[in-house]
Every structure is written in C-alpha cells, then in structure tokens.
Amino acid sequence: ASRDSPALRLARQEAVTTTPYALPLLPSPSPSPPLLPQPGVRGKQLVAGGSLVAVLALSLCGAGTLLHLSLAAAFLLVGVGCLTVEQAFRAIQHRVLLTIAASFGLGAALDRSGLSAMLGALLAELEPLLGPLPFLGAVFLFTSALSCLVSNAACVVLVYGVLKDLHDGGGLAALRPAQVMLAMMMGASASFATPIGYQTNLMVLQPGGYSFADFARLGVPLTLSTALCAAASIYSLPASWLP
C-alpha cells in the first residue's frame, strides 16, 4: 500500500476535528464561593487555635456541652475555609465510633452477668489481708484494669455500687469512703494498657502506627507507678481535706 500524502493526512485530521458528532469540551465548574471571608494561612492558624481554646474555656464554664461546642467550632472552621466539607468527613474515624459504641454493650454484659459483683466481692476480701494502703492500690488497679476493657463511665458505674455496699456493710474500717471513691475515680481514668480503654487511645492508634503490644509495653509500668503514687497520696490526705 502506498503511503498517504501529507495533504490527505491533513484532510483526515480536519474531518475528525470538525465532525458534528464531536462533543465540545465543557469548562470546569468554578468552586462555590466561601460562606465567610477567607483568611490567610496565618489567619487560619489563629482561627483553629482560637476555636480550640474557646471550646475548652466555654466547656469549663458550663456554657454548653462539649459535643455542641465542638460541632459549632467545626462549622466555623469549614465556613472560614480552614478545611473543606470533604476533609471534615474524611477526618471522622468510623472504627473509633463503632468501638466506643460496642464498649457500652460489654459494660452491660459485665453488669448483667454478675461478673463485676463477683470481682468486687473478691476485692473486698483482700482488705483485711493487705491493709488500708495496699487495698487502695488494689482498688486503683482493679478499676484501671476494668477501664481498659469498657468505658470509664461504665467502669465507675459498675465499681461504685460494689464499693458503696461494701462500706455500708462495715467491710472497711480503716479507710474513709472518700478515700476509696477517689482511688476508684483515679483508676477509672488510668486506662493506659490498651487502646480500647479510651477514645483518645483509639484516635492515635492508627495514625501513630501503634499496636496493642505497644500500649501494654508502656501502659502497664505506667499504671503500676501511678497506682503506687495515687495510693500513697490518697492514704496520707487528712480528714479535713478529704472527709
């Protein structure tokens, strides 16, 4: 076959580009204008930092719940252009939400099965054997271990009833009720050994590349040292400070 002449090739190209079936290229849609004036990079940093400080301050003052204040701050950040709606939705970690929701079911299972009451009864039998100071440490460690499996709110609900009945029944003679309750509250917030014990543990699990073993490796020694310091401090508090 003979080669096509340059004139024939040019004619074919013009026929392709001028065919009536070719669809014209549509211009890309322009982005929608922002809801609020757009600050610069420095301004966005100030808005983001100020929003965080405002949420914490208003929450401490009781001006609103942390959920409502956080949602208001999120809408403000989207409105001023610190992040887009797509970025805000991608920041939601659905695995964290599912794990938190599942922890409430685990707490209900411990309560209804009677396992928490049995563990509390075993803990009460240790007080005469250990003494008041080691018993405070045991309460701290027991509550901390339970808080590593369920939420700290569910943990306090479960352990509070056991310790309250224990003291009302005269099971603790050398300790004041406030001392035992304070050790319980501090232990419920010391969920260092597992990533499922608290929301912030789960939030840093995936971005930081951590594993369950990493939390146990650092969390167990930290829990033991915190229990020792907390038990000694609570036991030495005078009755005028902690009735």
Side-chain angles (χ1 to χ4, degrees), residues 1 23 28 34 54 57 64 74 77-78 85 92 110 128-130 145 157 171 199 213 233:
L23 297 177
S28 59
L77 294 177
V78 173
V85 177
I92 300 176
L110 291 175
L129 301 176
L130 298 178
V157 170
Q199 297 92 323
S233 302

Side-chain angles (χ1 to χ4, degrees), residues 139-177:
V139 171
F140 184 100
L141 293 176
F142 169 73
T143 313
S144 176
L146 187 60
S147 180
C148 289
L149 301 176
V150 299
S151 64
N152 54 355
C155 176
V156 169
V157 170
L158 294 175
V159 182
Y160 172 78
V162 176
L163 296 180
K164 184 178 181 300
D165 295 339
L166 175 65
H167 188 272
D168 293 342
L172 300 176
L175 292 171
R176 301 186 299 275

Side-chain angles (χ1 to χ4, degrees), residues 95-96 99-100 103 106 146-152 191-203 205 212 215:
R95 292 184 179 181
V96 176
T99 305
I100 294 172
S103 66
L106 181 58
L146 187 60
S147 180
C148 289
L149 301 176
V150 299
S151 64
N152 54 355
S191 52
F192 308 135
T194 62
I196 63 174
Y198 199 66
Q199 297 92 323
T200 51
N201 296 13
L202 286 170
M203 291 178 183
L205 176 63
F212 272 69
F215 278 85

Side-chain angles (χ1 to χ4, degrees), residues 27 47 69 89 103 113 136 138 165 207 227 229:
V47 171
L69 294 174
F89 276 105
S103 66
S113 63
L136 288 175
D165 295 339
C229 296

Side-chain angles (χ1 to χ4, degrees), residues 124-135:
E125 296 179 358
L126 295 177
E127 196 272 337
L129 301 176
L130 298 178
L133 180 58
F135 180 76

